[in-house]
Amino acid sequence: MTTTSTTKRWSLVVLFAILFVSLIQPSHGQFGMPKATEEEEGAAAAAAADPMDTGGETVKSVLTEQEEIDIAAILKEARADLETMNMVRKMKEEMGKELGELEQLSKVEVLGALKVSLQELKGLDYLFQDHERALVEMDKEGLIAPEHLQKYQKDPSLLELDTRRAVYFQFIAIAVVAGFIEP
């Protein structure tokens, strides 16, 4: 695969994530990664041992065992969350064409994007240990829209809530593309 092709595909993933995040309605909830039970860990490991349609590669060549467990735990929670499932249903109805384009991506590329999104979710705990510093750093990197800056300066905890929500729904959107979550 050429660099241009890979760049184009990642651009589609990013575009999709941005479009999806723009559809998000404000919600209230707590998302996290509860510790997986031994049963969940065994199921995730068994599922990962089977090759997927990844051009001869297995899930294990893209994800570590812990990442598989974490992804399985998040997806289990997401499937049980009515708000998330309503969002998935709405996304599939309103963005069918875009989903069709993204479903052309290889499983390896989609799993890679899911892995990056998982790492971003995990990194949020570190980033938001200090809300004020997170605000300064994200603003410095141009990650905060100017129209929201004043709101976040008043209450930096809102930045954490909005960021967690956006990264969570990015994760879910990629999981939908991968076929790991259906309405």
Side-chain angles (χ1 to χ4, degrees):
M1 184 179 311
T2 66
T3 304
T4 306
S5 176
T6 303
T7 303
K8 183 178 179 183
R9 287 183 177 192
W10 279 109
S11 296
L12 283 173
V13 170
V14 170
L15 173 64
F16 175 71
I18 291 169
L19 288 171
F20 185 68
V21 169
S22 69
L23 293 175
I24 295 175
Q25 299 294 323
S27 64
H28 302 285
Q30 181 176 349
F31 306 106
M33 295 179 291
K35 185 166 175 62
T37 64
E38 286 184 30
E39 181 181 299
E40 291 171 336
E41 289 176 4
D50 296 331
M52 293 177 59
D53 182 20
T54 58
E57 295 186 62
T58 63
V59 173
K60 287 202 178 290
S61 68
V62 179
L63 302 172
T64 67
E65 186 173 335
Q66 186 60 52
E67 289 167 338
E68 294 169 38
I69 292 166
D70 292 344
I71 289 170
I74 294 170
L75 292 175
K76 181 179 178 185
E77 291 290 320
R79 287 183 193 107
D81 182 58
L82 293 176
E83 188 174 350
T84 299
M85 294 312 295
N86 286 334
M87 176 94 71
V88 170
R89 204 172 355 274
K90 181 179 176 183
M91 178 180 63
K92 289 189 85 83
E93 289 170 2
E94 294 179 4
M95 301 184 73
K97 181 181 175 188
E98 291 86 353
L99 283 174
E101 291 175 15
L102 291 170
E103 288 171 353
Q104 302 304 314
L105 297 172
S106 74
K107 289 287 185 185
V108 171
E109 289 175 307
V110 175
L111 287 173
L114 200 59
K115 179 178 184 163
V116 168
S117 187
L118 175 67
Q119 291 167 345
E120 289 173 355
L121 276 170
K122 289 180 173 184
L124 293 177
D125 290 334
Y126 177 77
L127 176 66
F128 287 106
Q129 286 177 347
D130 180 348
H131 287 98
E132 295 291 333
R133 180 153 174 84
L135 174 66
V136 168
E137 293 300 320
M138 289 179 75
D139 185 39
K140 189 168 35 174
E141 293 295 321
L143 298 173
I144 299 176
E147 62 269 15
H148 296 293
L149 185 57
Q150 188 175 15
K151 171 178 75 170
Y152 294 142
Q153 286 171 333
K154 275 184 165 179
D155 186 358
S157 66
L158 287 176
L159 177 61
E160 179 180 7
L161 179 65
D162 289 349
T163 303
R164 285 188 186 280
R165 188 177 297 134
V167 174
Y168 171 78
F169 285 111
Q170 175 187 343
F171 178 91
I172 295 300
I174 296 168
V176 168
V177 170
F180 295 152
I181 190 165
E182 293 287 331

